[in-house]
Coordinates of all heavy atoms in Angstrom, one line a residue:
M9 N -13.0 -16.8 -18.7 CA -12.2 -15.6 -19.0 C -12.2 -14.7 -17.8 O -11.2 -14.0 -17.6 CB -12.7 -15.0 -20.3 CG -11.8 -13.9 -20.8 SD -10.2 -14.6 -21.3 CE -10.1 -14.0 -22.9
A10 N -13.3 -14.6 -17.1 CA -13.3 -13.6 -16.0 C -12.3 -14.0 -14.9 O -11.8 -13.2 -14.2 CB -14.7 -13.6 -15.4
G11 N -12.1 -15.4 -14.7 CA -11.2 -15.8 -13.7 C -9.8 -15.4 -14.0 O -9.0 -15.0 -13.1
V12 N -9.4 -15.4 -15.3 CA -8.1 -14.9 -15.7 C -7.9 -13.4 -15.4 O -6.9 -13.0 -14.9 CB -7.8 -15.2 -17.2 CG1 -6.5 -14.6 -17.6 CG2 -7.8 -16.7 -17.4
A13 N -8.9 -12.6 -15.8 CA -8.9 -11.2 -15.5 C -8.8 -10.9 -14.0 O -8.0 -10.1 -13.6 CB -10.1 -10.5 -16.1
T14 N -9.5 -11.7 -13.2 CA -9.5 -11.5 -11.8 C -8.1 -11.8 -11.2 O -7.6 -11.1 -10.4 CB -10.6 -12.3 -11.1 OG1 -11.9 -12.0 -11.7 CG2 -10.7 -12.1 -9.6
K15 N -7.6 -12.9 -11.7 CA -6.2 -13.3 -11.2 C -5.2 -12.2 -11.6 O -4.3 -11.9 -10.8 CB -5.8 -14.7 -11.8 CG -4.6 -15.2 -11.3 CD -4.3 -16.6 -11.7 CE -3.1 -17.2 -11.1 NZ -2.8 -18.6 -11.5
Q16 N -5.3 -11.7 -12.8 CA -4.4 -10.6 -13.2 C -4.6 -9.4 -12.4 O -3.6 -8.7 -12.0 CB -4.6 -10.3 -14.7 CG -4.1 -11.4 -15.6 CD -4.5 -11.2 -17.1 OE1 -5.3 -10.4 -17.4 NE2 -3.8 -12.0 -18.0
D17 N -5.9 -9.1 -12.1 CA -6.2 -7.9 -11.2 C -5.6 -8.1 -9.9 O -5.0 -7.1 -9.3 CB -7.7 -7.7 -11.1 CG -8.3 -7.2 -12.4 OD1 -7.6 -6.7 -13.3 OD2 -9.5 -7.5 -12.6
A18 N -5.7 -9.3 -9.3 CA -5.1 -9.5 -8.0 C -3.6 -9.4 -8.0 O -3.0 -8.8 -7.1 CB -5.6 -10.9 -7.5
L19 N -3.0 -10.0 -9.0 CA -1.5 -9.9 -9.1 C -1.1 -8.5 -9.3 O -0.1 -8.0 -8.7 CB -1.1 -10.8 -10.3 CG 0.4 -11.0 -10.4 CD1 1.0 -11.6 -9.1 CD2 0.7 -12.0 -11.6
R20 N -1.8 -7.7 -10.1 CA -1.5 -6.3 -10.3 C -1.6 -5.5 -9.0 O -0.7 -4.7 -8.7 CB -2.4 -5.7 -11.4 CG -2.0 -4.3 -11.8 CD -2.9 -3.7 -12.9 NE -2.9 -4.5 -14.1 CZ -3.9 -5.3 -14.5 NH1 -5.1 -5.2 -13.9 NH2 -3.8 -6.0 -15.6
L21 N -2.6 -5.8 -8.3 CA -2.8 -5.1 -7.0 C -1.7 -5.4 -6.0 O -1.1 -4.6 -5.4 CB -4.2 -5.5 -6.4 CG -4.5 -4.9 -5.0 CD1 -4.4 -3.4 -4.9 CD2 -5.8 -5.4 -4.5
Y22 N -1.4 -6.7 -6.0 CA -0.3 -7.1 -5.1 C 1.0 -6.5 -5.4 O 1.8 -6.0 -4.6 CB -0.1 -8.7 -5.1 CG 0.8 -9.2 -4.1 CD1 0.5 -9.2 -2.8 CD2 2.0 -9.8 -4.5 CE1 1.4 -9.7 -1.8 CE2 2.9 -10.3 -3.6 CZ 2.6 -10.2 -2.2 OH 3.5 -10.8 -1.3
R23 N 1.4 -6.4 -6.7 CA 2.6 -5.8 -7.2 C 2.6 -4.3 -6.9 O 3.6 -3.7 -6.5 CB 2.8 -6.0 -8.7 CG 3.2 -7.4 -9.0 CD 3.4 -7.6 -10.5 NE 3.8 -8.9 -10.8 CZ 3.5 -9.6 -11.9 NH1 2.7 -9.0 -12.8 NH2 3.9 -10.8 -12.1
D24 N 1.4 -3.7 -7.0 CA 1.3 -2.2 -6.7 C 1.5 -2.0 -5.2 O 2.1 -1.0 -4.8 CB 0.0 -1.7 -7.2 CG -0.2 -1.6 -8.7 OD1 0.9 -1.7 -9.4 OD2 -1.3 -1.4 -9.2
I25 N 1.0 -2.9 -4.4 CA 1.2 -2.7 -3.0 C 2.7 -2.9 -2.6 O 3.2 -2.1 -1.8 CB 0.4 -3.8 -2.2 CG1 -1.1 -3.5 -2.3 CG2 0.8 -3.9 -0.7 CD1 -2.0 -4.6 -1.8
L26 N 3.4 -3.9 -3.2 CA 4.8 -4.0 -3.0 C 5.6 -2.8 -3.4 O 6.5 -2.3 -2.7 CB 5.3 -5.3 -3.7 CG 4.8 -6.6 -3.3 CD1 5.4 -7.7 -4.1 CD2 5.0 -6.8 -1.8
R27 N 5.2 -2.2 -4.6 CA 5.9 -1.0 -5.1 C 5.7 0.1 -4.1 O 6.6 0.9 -3.8 CB 5.4 -0.6 -6.4 CG 6.4 -0.9 -7.5 CD 5.9 -0.4 -8.9 NE 5.7 -1.6 -9.7 CZ 4.6 -2.2 -10.1 NH1 3.5 -1.7 -9.7 NH2 4.6 -3.3 -10.8
A28 N 4.4 0.3 -3.7 CA 4.1 1.4 -2.8 C 4.8 1.3 -1.4 O 5.2 2.2 -0.8 CB 2.6 1.5 -2.6
A29 N 4.9 0.0 -0.9 CA 5.5 -0.2 0.4 C 7.0 0.2 0.4 O 7.5 0.6 1.5 CB 5.4 -1.7 0.7
R30 N 7.7 0.3 -0.7 CA 9.1 0.7 -0.8 C 9.3 2.1 -0.2 O 10.3 2.4 0.3 CB 9.6 0.7 -2.2 CG 9.8 -0.7 -2.8 CD 10.4 -0.6 -4.2 NE 10.1 -1.8 -4.9 CZ 9.9 -1.8 -6.2 NH1 10.0 -0.7 -6.9 NH2 9.6 -2.9 -6.8
S31 N 8.2 2.9 -0.3 CA 8.3 4.3 0.2 C 8.3 4.4 1.7 O 8.7 5.4 2.2 CB 7.2 5.1 -0.4 OG 7.2 5.1 -1.8
F32 N 7.8 3.4 2.4 CA 7.7 3.5 3.8 C 8.9 2.9 4.5 O 9.0 1.8 4.9 CB 6.4 2.7 4.2 CG 5.1 3.3 3.7 CD1 4.7 3.1 2.4 CD2 4.4 4.1 4.6 CE1 3.5 3.7 2.0 CE2 3.2 4.6 4.2 CZ 2.8 4.5 2.9
T33 N 9.9 3.8 4.7 CA 11.2 3.3 5.1 C 11.4 3.5 6.6 O 12.3 3.0 7.2 CB 12.3 4.1 4.4 OG1 12.1 5.5 4.6 CG2 12.3 3.8 2.9
W34 N 10.6 4.4 7.3 CA 10.8 4.6 8.7 C 10.3 3.4 9.5 O 9.5 2.6 9.1 CB 10.1 5.9 9.1 CG 8.6 5.9 8.8 CD1 7.6 5.5 9.7 CD2 8.0 6.3 7.6 NE1 6.4 5.6 9.1 CE2 6.6 6.1 7.8 CE3 8.4 6.8 6.4 CZ2 5.6 6.4 6.8 CZ3 7.5 7.1 5.4 CH2 6.1 6.9 5.6
P35 N 10.8 3.4 10.8 CA 10.5 2.2 11.6 C 9.0 2.2 12.2 O 8.5 3.2 12.5 CB 11.5 2.3 12.7 CG 11.9 3.7 12.8 CD 11.7 4.2 11.4
H36 N 8.5 1.0 12.2 CA 7.2 0.8 12.9 C 7.5 0.8 14.4 O 8.7 0.7 14.8 CB 6.7 -0.6 12.4 CG 5.5 -1.1 13.0 ND1 5.4 -1.9 14.1 CD2 4.2 -0.9 12.7 CE1 4.2 -2.2 14.4 NE2 3.4 -1.6 13.5
E37 N 6.5 0.9 15.2 CA 6.7 0.9 16.7 C 7.4 -0.4 17.2 O 8.0 -0.4 18.2 CB 5.5 1.2 17.5 CG 4.3 0.3 17.2 CD 3.3 1.0 16.1 OE1 3.6 2.1 15.6 OE2 2.3 0.3 15.8
S38 N 7.4 -1.5 16.4 CA 8.1 -2.7 16.7 C 9.6 -2.6 16.4 O 10.3 -3.5 16.8 CB 7.5 -3.9 16.0 OG 7.7 -3.8 14.6
G39 N 10.0 -1.6 15.7 CA 11.4 -1.4 15.3 C 11.7 -1.9 13.9 O 12.7 -1.6 13.3
R40 N 10.7 -2.7 13.3 CA 10.9 -3.1 11.9 C 10.5 -2.0 11.0 O 9.6 -1.2 11.3 CB 10.0 -4.3 11.7 CG 10.4 -5.5 12.5 CD 9.5 -6.7 12.4 NE 9.1 -7.0 11.1 CZ 7.9 -7.4 10.7 NH1 6.9 -7.5 11.5 NH2 7.6 -7.7 9.4
P41 N 11.1 -1.9 9.8 CA 10.6 -0.9 8.8 C 9.2 -1.1 8.5 O 8.7 -2.3 8.3 CB 11.5 -1.2 7.6 CG 12.7 -2.0 8.1 CD 12.2 -2.7 9.3
W42 N 8.5 0.0 8.3 CA 7.0 -0.1 7.9 C 6.9 -0.9 6.6 O 5.9 -1.6 6.5 CB 6.5 1.3 7.8 CG 5.6 1.7 8.9 CD1 6.0 2.7 9.9 CD2 4.4 1.2 9.3 NE1 5.0 2.8 10.8 CE2 4.0 1.9 10.5 CE3 3.5 0.3 8.8 CZ2 2.8 1.7 11.1 CZ3 2.3 0.0 9.5 CH2 2.0 0.7 10.6
R43 N 7.8 -0.8 5.7 CA 7.7 -1.5 4.4 C 7.5 -3.0 4.7 O 6.7 -3.7 4.1 CB 8.8 -1.1 3.5 CG 9.8 -2.2 3.3 CD 11.0 -1.8 2.4 NE 12.2 -1.9 3.2 CZ 12.9 -1.0 3.7 NH1 12.7 0.3 3.4 NH2 14.0 -1.2 4.4
D44 N 8.3 -3.5 5.6 CA 8.2 -5.0 5.9 C 6.9 -5.3 6.6 O 6.3 -6.4 6.2 CB 9.4 -5.4 6.9 CG 10.8 -5.2 6.2 OD1 10.8 -5.0 5.0 OD2 11.8 -5.3 7.0
V45 N 6.4 -4.5 7.4 CA 5.1 -4.7 8.1 C 4.0 -4.7 7.0 O 3.1 -5.6 7.0 CB 4.9 -3.6 9.2 CG1 3.5 -3.8 9.7 CG2 5.9 -3.7 10.3
L46 N 4.1 -3.7 6.1 CA 3.0 -3.6 5.1 C 3.1 -4.8 4.1 O 2.0 -5.4 3.8 CB 3.2 -2.3 4.3 CG 2.9 -1.1 5.1 CD1 3.4 0.2 4.2 CD2 1.5 -1.0 5.5
V47 N 4.3 -5.2 3.7 CA 4.4 -6.4 2.8 C 3.9 -7.7 3.5 O 3.1 -8.4 2.9 CB 5.8 -6.6 2.3 CG1 6.1 -7.9 1.7 CG2 6.2 -5.4 1.4
E48 N 4.2 -7.8 4.8 CA 3.8 -9.0 5.5 C 2.2 -9.0 5.6 O 1.6 -10.0 5.5 CB 4.4 -9.0 6.9 CG 4.1 -10.2 7.7 CD 4.8 -10.1 9.1 OE1 6.1 -10.2 9.1 OE2 4.1 -10.0 10.1
S49 N 1.7 -7.9 5.9 CA 0.2 -7.7 6.1 C -0.5 -8.0 4.7 O -1.5 -8.7 4.7 CB -0.1 -6.3 6.5 OG -1.5 -6.2 6.6
A50 N 0.1 -7.5 3.6 CA -0.5 -7.7 2.3 C -0.5 -9.2 2.0 O -1.4 -9.8 1.5 CB 0.2 -6.9 1.3
R51 N 0.7 -9.8 2.2 CA 0.8 -11.2 2.0 C -0.2 -12.1 2.7 O -0.8 -13.0 2.2 CB 2.3 -11.7 2.3 CG 2.5 -13.1 2.2 CD 2.7 -13.5 0.8 NE 3.0 -14.9 0.8 CZ 3.5 -15.5 -0.3 NH1 3.8 -14.9 -1.3 NH2 3.7 -16.8 -0.3
A52 N -0.4 -11.7 4.0 CA -1.4 -12.4 4.8 C -2.8 -12.3 4.3 O -3.6 -13.2 4.2 CB -1.3 -12.0 6.3
E53 N -3.1 -11.0 3.9 CA -4.5 -10.8 3.3 C -4.7 -11.6 2.0 O -5.7 -12.2 1.8 CB -4.6 -9.3 3.0 CG -4.8 -8.4 4.2 CD -6.1 -8.5 4.8 OE1 -7.1 -8.8 4.1 OE2 -6.2 -8.2 6.0
F54 N -3.7 -11.6 1.1 CA -3.8 -12.4 -0.1 C -3.8 -13.9 0.2 O -4.6 -14.6 -0.5 CB -2.7 -12.0 -1.1 CG -3.0 -10.8 -1.9 CD1 -2.8 -9.5 -1.3 CD2 -3.4 -10.8 -3.2 CE1 -3.0 -8.4 -2.0 CE2 -3.7 -9.7 -3.9 CZ -3.5 -8.5 -3.3
E55 N -3.1 -14.4 1.1 CA -3.1 -15.8 1.5 C -4.5 -16.2 2.0 O -5.0 -17.2 1.6 CB -2.0 -16.1 2.5 CG -0.6 -16.2 2.0 CD -0.4 -17.3 1.0 OE1 -1.0 -18.4 1.2 OE2 0.4 -17.2 0.1
Q56 N -5.1 -15.3 2.8 CA -6.4 -15.6 3.4 C -7.5 -15.6 2.3 O -8.5 -16.3 2.4 CB -6.8 -14.6 4.4 CG -6.0 -14.7 5.7 CD -6.4 -13.5 6.7 OE1 -7.0 -12.6 6.3 NE2 -5.8 -13.6 7.9
S57 N -7.2 -14.8 1.2 CA -8.2 -14.6 0.2 C -8.1 -15.7 -1.0 O -9.0 -15.8 -1.8 CB -8.2 -13.2 -0.4 OG -8.5 -12.3 0.6
K58 N -7.0 -16.4 -1.0 CA -6.8 -17.3 -2.1 C -7.8 -18.4 -2.3 O -7.9 -19.0 -3.3 CB -5.3 -17.7 -2.2 CG -5.0 -18.9 -1.3 CD -3.5 -19.2 -1.5 CE -3.1 -20.4 -0.7 NZ -1.7 -20.7 -0.9
H59 N -8.5 -18.7 -1.2 CA -9.4 -19.8 -1.3 C -10.9 -19.3 -1.5 O -11.8 -20.2 -1.5 CB -9.3 -20.7 0.0 CG -8.0 -21.3 0.2 ND1 -7.5 -22.2 -0.6 CD2 -7.0 -21.0 1.1 CE1 -6.3 -22.6 -0.2 NE2 -6.0 -21.9 0.8
V60 N -11.0 -18.0 -1.6 CA -12.4 -17.5 -1.9 C -12.7 -17.8 -3.4 O -11.9 -17.5 -4.3 CB -12.4 -15.9 -1.6 CG1 -13.7 -15.4 -2.0 CG2 -12.0 -15.7 -0.2
T61 N -13.9 -18.3 -3.6 CA -14.3 -18.7 -4.9 C -15.5 -17.9 -5.4 O -15.7 -17.9 -6.6 CB -14.7 -20.2 -5.0 OG1 -15.7 -20.4 -4.0 CG2 -13.5 -21.1 -4.7
D62 N -16.2 -17.2 -4.6 CA -17.3 -16.4 -5.0 C -16.8 -15.2 -5.8 O -16.1 -14.3 -5.2 CB -18.1 -16.0 -3.8 CG -19.3 -15.1 -4.1 OD1 -19.8 -15.2 -5.2 OD2 -19.7 -14.2 -3.2
P63 N -17.2 -15.1 -7.1 CA -16.7 -14.0 -7.9 C -17.1 -12.6 -7.3 O -16.3 -11.7 -7.4 CB -17.4 -14.2 -9.2 CG -17.8 -15.6 -9.2 CD -18.0 -16.0 -7.8
T64 N -18.2 -12.5 -6.7 CA -18.6 -11.2 -6.1 C -17.7 -10.8 -5.0 O -17.3 -9.7 -4.8 CB -20.1 -11.2 -5.7 OG1 -20.9 -11.6 -6.8 CG2 -20.6 -9.9 -5.1
E65 N -17.4 -11.8 -4.1 CA -16.6 -11.5 -3.0 C -15.1 -11.2 -3.4 O -14.4 -10.4 -2.9 CB -16.6 -12.7 -2.0 CG -15.7 -12.6 -0.8 CD -16.0 -11.4 0.1 OE1 -17.2 -10.9 0.0 OE2 -15.2 -11.0 0.9
I66 N -14.7 -11.9 -4.4 CA -13.3 -11.7 -5.0 C -13.2 -10.2 -5.5 O -12.3 -9.5 -5.2 CB -13.0 -12.7 -6.1 CG1 -12.8 -14.1 -5.5 CG2 -11.7 -12.2 -6.8 CD1 -12.7 -15.2 -6.5
M67 N -14.2 -9.8 -6.3 CA -14.2 -8.5 -6.8 C -14.3 -7.4 -5.7 O -13.7 -6.4 -5.7 CB -15.3 -8.3 -7.8 CG -15.1 -9.0 -9.1 SD -13.5 -8.7 -9.9 CE -13.6 -6.9 -10.2
R68 N -15.1 -7.7 -4.7 CA -15.3 -6.8 -3.5 C -13.9 -6.6 -2.9 O -13.5 -5.5 -2.6 CB -16.3 -7.3 -2.5 CG -16.6 -6.3 -1.4 CD -17.3 -6.9 -0.2 NE -16.5 -7.9 0.5 CZ -15.6 -7.6 1.4 NH1 -15.3 -6.3 1.6 NH2 -14.9 -8.5 2.1
R69 N -13.2 -7.7 -2.6 CA -11.9 -7.6 -2.0 C -10.9 -6.9 -2.8 O -10.1 -6.1 -2.3 CB -11.4 -9.0 -1.7 CG -12.1 -9.7 -0.6 CD -11.7 -11.1 -0.3 NE -12.5 -11.8 0.7 CZ -12.1 -12.6 1.6 NH1 -10.8 -12.9 1.7 NH2 -13.0 -13.1 2.4
L70 N -10.9 -7.1 -4.1 CA -10.0 -6.3 -5.0 C -10.3 -4.8 -5.0 O -9.4 -4.0 -5.0 CB -10.1 -6.9 -6.5 CG -9.5 -8.3 -6.7 CD1 -9.8 -8.8 -8.1 CD2 -8.0 -8.3 -6.4
V71 N -11.6 -4.5 -5.1 CA -12.0 -3.1 -5.1 C -11.6 -2.4 -3.7 O -11.1 -1.3 -3.7 CB -13.5 -2.9 -5.3 CG1 -14.0 -1.5 -5.0 CG2 -13.9 -3.3 -6.7
V72 N -11.9 -3.1 -2.6 CA -11.5 -2.6 -1.3 C -10.0 -2.4 -1.2 O -9.5 -1.4 -0.8 CB -12.0 -3.4 -0.2 CG1 -11.4 -3.1 1.2 CG2 -13.6 -3.3 -0.1
G73 N -9.2 -3.4 -1.7 CA -7.8 -3.4 -1.6 C -7.2 -2.2 -2.5 O -6.3 -1.5 -2.0
R74 N -7.8 -2.0 -3.7 CA -7.3 -1.0 -4.6 C -7.7 0.4 -3.9 O -6.9 1.3 -3.9 CB -8.0 -1.1 -5.9 CG -7.7 0.0 -6.9 CD -6.3 0.1 -7.3 NE -5.8 -1.2 -7.9 CZ -4.5 -1.4 -8.2 NH1 -3.6 -0.5 -8.0 NH2 -4.1 -2.5 -8.7
H75 N -8.9 0.5 -3.3 CA -9.3 1.8 -2.7 C -8.3 2.1 -1.5 O -7.9 3.2 -1.4 CB -10.7 1.6 -2.2 CG -11.2 2.8 -1.4 ND1 -11.5 4.0 -2.0 CD2 -11.3 3.0 -0.1 CE1 -11.8 4.9 -1.1 NE2 -11.7 4.3 0.1
C76 N -8.0 1.1 -0.7 CA -7.1 1.3 0.4 C -5.7 1.8 -0.1 O -5.1 2.7 0.5 CB -7.0 0.1 1.3 SG -8.5 -0.3 2.2
L77 N -5.2 1.1 -1.1 CA -3.9 1.5 -1.7 C -3.9 2.9 -2.2 O -3.0 3.7 -1.9 CB -3.5 0.5 -2.8 CG -2.2 0.8 -3.5 CD1 -1.0 0.8 -2.5 CD2 -2.0 -0.2 -4.6
E78 N -5.0 3.3 -2.9 CA -5.0 4.6 -3.5 C -5.1 5.7 -2.4 O -4.5 6.7 -2.4 CB -6.2 4.7 -4.4 CG -5.9 4.0 -5.7 CD -7.1 3.9 -6.6 OE1 -8.2 4.4 -6.3 OE2 -7.0 3.3 -7.7
K79 N -5.9 5.4 -1.4 CA -6.1 6.3 -0.2 C -4.8 6.5 0.5 O -4.4 7.6 0.9 CB -7.2 5.7 0.7 CG -7.6 6.6 1.8 CD -8.8 5.9 2.5 CE -9.1 6.6 3.9 NZ -10.2 6.0 4.6
T80 N -4.1 5.4 0.8 CA -2.8 5.4 1.4 C -1.8 6.2 0.6 O -1.0 7.1 1.2 CB -2.3 4.0 1.7 OG1 -3.2 3.3 2.5 CG2 -0.9 4.0 2.4
A81 N -1.7 6.0 -0.7 CA -0.8 6.7 -1.5 C -1.1 8.2 -1.6 O -0.2 9.0 -1.5 CB -0.8 6.1 -2.9
K82 N -2.4 8.5 -1.6 CA -2.7 9.9 -1.6 C -2.3 10.6 -0.3 O -1.8 11.7 -0.3 CB -4.3 10.1 -1.8 CG -4.7 11.5 -1.9 CD -6.2 11.6 -2.1 CE -6.6 13.1 -2.1 NZ -8.1 13.2 -2.1
K83 N -2.6 10.0 0.8 CA -2.3 10.5 2.1 C -0.8 10.6 2.3 O -0.2 11.6 2.8 CB -2.8 9.6 3.3 CG -2.6 10.1 4.6 CD -3.3 11.4 4.9 CE -3.1 11.9 6.3 NZ -3.5 13.3 6.5
F84 N 0.0 9.6 1.8 CA 1.4 9.7 1.8 C 2.0 10.9 1.1 O 2.8 11.6 1.5 CB 2.0 8.4 1.3 CG 3.5 8.3 1.3 CD1 4.2 7.9 2.4 CD2 4.2 8.7 0.2 CE1 5.6 7.8 2.4 CE2 5.6 8.7 0.2 CZ 6.3 8.2 1.3
E85 N 1.4 11.1 -0.1 CA 1.9 12.2 -1.0 C 1.5 13.5 -0.4 O 2.3 14.5 -0.4 CB 1.3 12.1 -2.4 CG 1.8 13.1 -3.3 CD 3.4 13.1 -3.5 OE1 4.0 12.1 -3.3 OE2 3.9 14.2 -3.8
E86 N 0.3 13.7 0.2 CA -0.1 14.9 0.9 C 0.9 15.2 2.0 O 1.3 16.4 2.2 CB -1.5 14.8 1.4 CG -2.5 14.8 0.3 CD -3.9 14.5 0.8 OE1 -4.1 14.2 2.0 OE2 -4.9 14.6 0.0
T87 N 1.2 14.2 2.8 CA 2.1 14.4 4.0 C 3.5 14.8 3.5 O 4.1 15.7 4.1 CB 2.1 13.1 4.8 OG1 0.8 12.8 5.3 CG2 3.0 13.3 6.1
R88 N 4.0 14.1 2.5 CA 5.3 14.4 1.9 C 5.3 15.9 1.4 O 6.3 16.6 1.7 CB 5.6 13.5 0.7 CG 7.0 13.6 0.2 CD 7.3 12.6 -0.9 NE 6.8 13.0 -2.1 CZ 7.4 14.0 -2.9 NH1 8.5 14.5 -2.5 NH2 6.8 14.3 -4.1
Q89 N 4.3 16.3 0.7 CA 4.2 17.7 0.3 C 4.2 18.7 1.4 O 4.8 19.7 1.4 CB 3.0 17.9 -0.6 CG 3.1 17.2 -2.0 CD 4.2 17.7 -2.8 OE1 4.6 18.9 -2.8 NE2 4.8 16.8 -3.6
D90 N 3.4 18.4 2.5 CA 3.4 19.2 3.7 C 4.8 19.4 4.3 O 5.2 20.4 4.7 CB 2.4 18.7 4.7 CG 1.0 18.8 4.3 OD1 0.7 19.6 3.4 OD2 0.1 18.1 4.9
I91 N 5.5 18.3 4.4 CA 6.9 18.3 5.0 C 7.8 19.1 4.1 O 8.5 19.9 4.6 CB 7.4 16.8 5.1 CG1 6.6 16.1 6.2 CG2 8.9 16.8 5.4 CD1 6.9 14.6 6.3
L92 N 7.7 18.9 2.8 CA 8.6 19.7 1.9 C 8.2 21.2 2.0 O 9.2 22.1 2.1 CB 8.4 19.3 0.4 CG 8.9 17.9 0.1 CD1 8.6 17.5 -1.3 CD2 10.4 17.9 0.3
R93 N 7.0 21.6 2.1 CA 6.6 23.0 2.3 C 7.1 23.5 3.6 O 7.6 24.7 3.7 CB 5.1 23.2 2.2 CG 4.6 23.3 0.8 CD 3.1 23.8 0.8 NE 2.2 22.7 1.3 CZ 1.8 21.7 0.6 NH1 2.1 21.5 -0.7 NH2 0.9 20.8 1.1
S94 N 7.0 22.7 4.7 CA 7.5 23.2 6.0 C 9.0 23.4 6.0 O 9.5 24.3 6.6 CB 7.0 22.3 7.1 OG 7.7 21.1 7.0
L95 N 9.7 22.6 5.2 CA 11.2 22.7 5.1 C 11.5 24.0 4.3 O 12.5 24.6 4.6 CB 11.8 21.5 4.5 CG 11.7 20.2 5.3 CD1 12.3 19.0 4.5 CD2 12.6 20.4 6.6
E96 N 10.8 24.2 3.3 CA 11.0 25.4 2.5 C 10.8 26.7 3.3 O 11.5 27.7 3.1 CB 10.1 25.4 1.2 CG 10.5 24.4 0.2 CD 9.4 24.3 -0.9 OE1 8.4 25.0 -0.9 OE2 9.7 23.5 -1.8
N97 N 9.8 26.7 4.2 CA 9.5 27.9 5.0 C 10.2 28.0 6.3 O 10.0 28.9 7.0 CB 8.0 27.9 5.2 CG 7.2 28.0 3.9 OD1 7.6 28.6 3.0 ND2 6.0 27.4 3.9
A98 N 11.0 27.0 6.6 CA 11.7 27.0 7.8 C 12.9 28.0 7.8 O 13.5 28.2 6.7 CB 12.3 25.6 8.1
P99 N 13.2 28.6 8.9 CA 14.3 29.6 8.9 C 15.6 28.8 8.6 O 15.7 27.6 9.0 CB 14.3 30.2 10.3 CG 13.5 29.3 11.1 CD 12.6 28.5 10.2
P100 N 16.6 29.5 8.0 CA 17.9 28.8 7.8 C 18.6 28.4 9.1 O 18.4 29.1 10.1 CB 18.7 29.8 7.0 CG 18.0 31.1 7.2 CD 16.6 30.8 7.6
P101 N 19.3 27.3 9.1 CA 20.0 26.9 10.3 C 21.0 27.9 10.7 O 21.6 28.6 9.9 CB 20.6 25.5 9.9 CG 20.6 25.5 8.4 CD 19.6 26.5 8.0
L102 N 21.2 28.0 12.0 CA 22.3 28.9 12.5 C 23.6 28.3 12.3 O 23.8 27.1 12.6 CB 22.0 29.2 14.0 CG 20.7 29.9 14.4 CD1 20.5 30.0 15.8 CD2 20.6 31.3 13.7
S103 N 24.5 29.1 11.9 CA 25.9 28.6 11.7 C 26.8 28.8 12.8 O 26.8 29.6 13.6 CB 26.5 29.2 10.5 OG 25.7 29.0 9.3

């Protein structure tokens, strides 16, 4: 039963990463959208991890992945709020 829960947790994390990546629309230094870079990186991480069988290592990777996603989402939202505040406080454009 734990294997099913772990698989569901991994799938949930992967879907959450894909959802979060949609917000990253600006270009990476390579010229590709960040969303594509993030999705490709997540896919590679999950592919590398699919052969891991140690339950402790699987859970560690899921916890680290979830933590990174939450940290990134929090930083993204803080930056977005900072930008919105700076736009609200900016002087009106000259006509």
Side-chain angles (χ1 to χ4, degrees):
M9 190 63 125
V12 173
T14 303
K15 187 173 183 176
Q16 289 172 346
D17 292 336
L19 191 53
R20 186 177 304 111
L21 175 60
Y22 187 70
R23 287 179 179 150
D24 289 346
I25 291 169
L26 295 180
R27 251 184 245 103
R30 291 183 202 150
S31 300
F32 293 80
T33 57
W34 57 91
H36 180 264
E37 50 268 0
S38 67
R40 296 172 49 218
W42 259 108
R43 108 182 121 249
D44 294 350
V45 174
L46 293 171
V47 167
E48 184 179 295
S49 176
R51 174 76 182 199
E53 289 283 336
F54 276 80
E55 285 292 327
Q56 289 174 352
S57 296
K58 77 179 184 180
H59 300 294
V60 175
T61 57
D62 177 28
T64 304
E65 179 61 17
I66 292 169
M67 289 308 296
R68 187 193 70 76
R69 290 178 188 217
L70 289 172
V71 168
V72 168
R74 178 63 59 189
H75 175 75
C76 289
L77 176 60
E78 289 170 358
K79 188 174 166 183
T80 301
K82 182 180 178 190
K83 183 66 176 166
F84 180 86
E85 185 56 29
E86 288 171 356
T87 302
R88 189 179 79 77
Q89 290 297 325
D90 289 346
I91 292 169
L92 291 175
R93 275 192 292 279
S94 70
L95 290 174
E96 289 172 357
N97 296 330
L102 298 174
S103 300

